[in-house]
Amino acid sequence: MTKIRISPSLTGTPLTEQELKSIIGGRMGFTRNCSCQLYKKNGEPLDEKTLAVKDESQCSEKCGSLCNDNSECYRSTYYYTVTNA
């Protein structure tokens, strides 16, 4: 077996601090979406809500709480997405 040789000209230079900040800075533009669906015992949809959350675990918790607070709710499901705004 032969070793792969990579030309130093292909590796480029490390990113500057400013270049890194511009890449990471884009994270501030993320939009978090949490859609919560509530269902009756027979499987019929009961309600659907859009919730303001900071992360997926909060989406799960809030959706579960909505179901627990509604006497008709048998189960809940949630759909969490993150998009770059």
Side-chain angles (χ1 to χ4, degrees):
M1 283 198 324
T2 61
K3 292 184 180 180
I4 297 175
R5 295 179 192 209
I6 299 174
S7 169
S9 64
L10 296 176
T11 59
T13 58
L15 295 175
T16 65
E17 184 179 346
Q18 195 59 34
E19 289 169 326
L20 284 172
K21 283 181 183 178
S22 70
I23 293 169
I24 296 170
R27 296 186 77 190
M28 302 306 263
F30 281 96
T31 304
R32 289 155 175 78
N33 303 299
C34 176
S35 176
C36 177
Q37 298 83 28
L38 306 179
Y39 296 92
K40 295 180 183 179
K41 191 168 187 167
N42 63 4
E44 280 185 43
L46 177 64
D47 198 3
E48 184 171 344
K49 303 259 185 207
T50 300
L51 307 172
V53 296
K54 294 182 181 180
D55 57 32
E56 186 172 2
S57 65
Q58 192 178 48
C59 179
S60 173
E61 289 170 16
K62 282 188 171 186
C63 190
S65 289
L66 280 176
C67 188
N68 291 339
D69 294 343
N70 187 325
S71 61
E72 292 183 77
C73 183
Y74 180 71
R75 70 179 179 92
S76 63
T77 60
Y78 69 91
Y79 184 68
Y80 178 77
T81 57
V82 180
T83 54
N84 193 356

